[in-house]
Amino acid sequence: MTNLHFPKDFWWGAAASGPQTEGRTADDGKGDSIWDYWYATEPERFYQKRGPKDTVQLLQRYPEDVALMKEIGFNSFRTSIQWSRLLPEGRGAVNQQAVAFYREYFATLIENGIEPFINLYHFDMPMALQKEGGWLNRETVTAFADYAALCFELFGDQVRHWFTQNEPIVPVEMGYLYQQHYPAEINLAHAVQVGYHEALASALAIQRFRQSQQSGEIGIILNLTPTYPKDPNDEKDGQAAQLADAFFNRSFLDPAVKGTFPEELITVLNELAIMPETRAEDLQIIKENTVDLLGVNYYQPRRVQQKRSAKTADTPMPEDYFDVYDWPEKKINPHRGWEIYERGIYDTLINLRDNYGNIPCYISENGMGVEDETRFIDASGQIQDEYRITFIKDHLRYVHQAIQEGSRCRGYHMWTCMDNWSWLNEFKNRYGFIAVDLATQKRTIKKSGEWFREVIQQNGFVD
Ligand code: BGP
């Protein structure tokens, strides 16, 4: 038996987002985001046609929810401000109800010993700005920087850990390549422009944070999917993996941490003649405003091999440069269809140590979505989610090892705190430490939540 002990002041907690938890009330003053709009116009796209309106009613229930976080023992918790709640039109008039809500919510966290980690963008473009093109429109970049500066001004006395965006690659791929987010286009040129604008907007927000001279730190949260070639000794598989990595990881990781874009990506975009529109000053802004801290969301690896299959789409796609490799030995979470590969979290942290100046980081999301968890309710009414405990342990072991080997990983946040609303999948897969009965909104801590409390108390676990 080994005692896996984590560093002093390690951040233990969970992550969530505004759009997935808050819900809406008739008079809350919130403007529509792309999710509200999409649900109103195409509800059939959403699993069981359940939209973003109610989610888990955190807007009204946050005191109870924060009390449960405290019961588990979190010392930190990440959520996001909804841009469309604070600025219903994306810019201009401020919704004072939103200011009051977020201030009270953050104060409640702080009073309970839970440090709020606040993210500014979690896939939720205000619809008013989307109508003008959303991230395709350069004006949105300025609007985002202004919104960020407003947040620093309004909440800077409460928040010490800021994040500009969560998984900025997701709006790129899901909105402009794979049709899982609005506006559901398939257009690589648009995808590239959107990604570029997001990266620039993040740098500008960081610049505004530094200009505000507030204390604290600012970062970005990226979903890093370590990319493995089918045959590590095959040069072409290796090149395919490198390019996939450039498309999906380094496209944001490099500008965020190094202030530059990956050369391979620039070469491909030049060949395809789809370089984004830029302005002379942009690259300097990106160069000078890199992050203090990196949030790493880790769910699954990406396995690729050299391109052999025929092209299927009639427009350029990242998949023109590699084929997905289906590793026969893979372990899979059947509910989400994602591979479970615990070692990937270690490889990711070691990559940051070796190739990204060992930037301070933390695991900002890691978790397992499971369908119909009520199957596992015991006589006392608690969900016995042993599989989640195993999942977390198996990942924490590797996080611990990476720290032992010099990674500056400062915490672990599970996705998520309470079961919440998951985009097109709505409540299909449940991820939380706390179960939510949607009929009654009753919250019950799962077995994993109780286990996590012990981990936090001991700052580790005996393996
Ligand atoms: C991450 C997102 C979260 C969350 C999680 C689980 O990519 O940051 O918002 O949803 O994935 O994924 P899903 O809800 O799609 O099952």
Side-chain angles (χ1 to χ4, degrees), residues 17 20 78 122-123 166-167 170 223 297 299 336 338 365 369 415 420-423 425-426 429 431:
S17 76
Q20 292 174 274
R78 192 244 305 185
H122 201 121
F123 315 159
N166 174 79
E167 303 188 348
V170 169
N223 50 323
N297 293 354
Y299 288 94
R336 190 60 178 88
W338 286 348
E365 285 182 32
W415 184 269
N420 66 30
W421 181 84
S422 265
W423 320 110
N425 270 336
E426 60 93 29
N429 302 312
Y431 282 86

Side-chain angles (χ1 to χ4, degrees), residues 71-117:
E71 198 173 323
I72 298 179
F74 292 179
N75 58 22
S76 45
F77 170 69
R78 192 244 305 185
T79 187
S80 67
I81 292 172
Q82 290 198 71
W83 188 351
S84 58
R85 181 179 297 288
L86 190 65
L87 295 168
E89 295 298 313
R91 55 166 83 86
V94 177
N95 173 12
Q96 292 304 332
Q97 289 187 72
V99 179
F101 161 64
Y102 287 119
R103 284 202 66 85
E104 284 165 27
Y105 180 19
F106 301 161
T108 308
L109 286 163
I110 295 163
E111 280 157 21
N112 285 282
I114 303 165
E115 179 87 30
F117 284 29

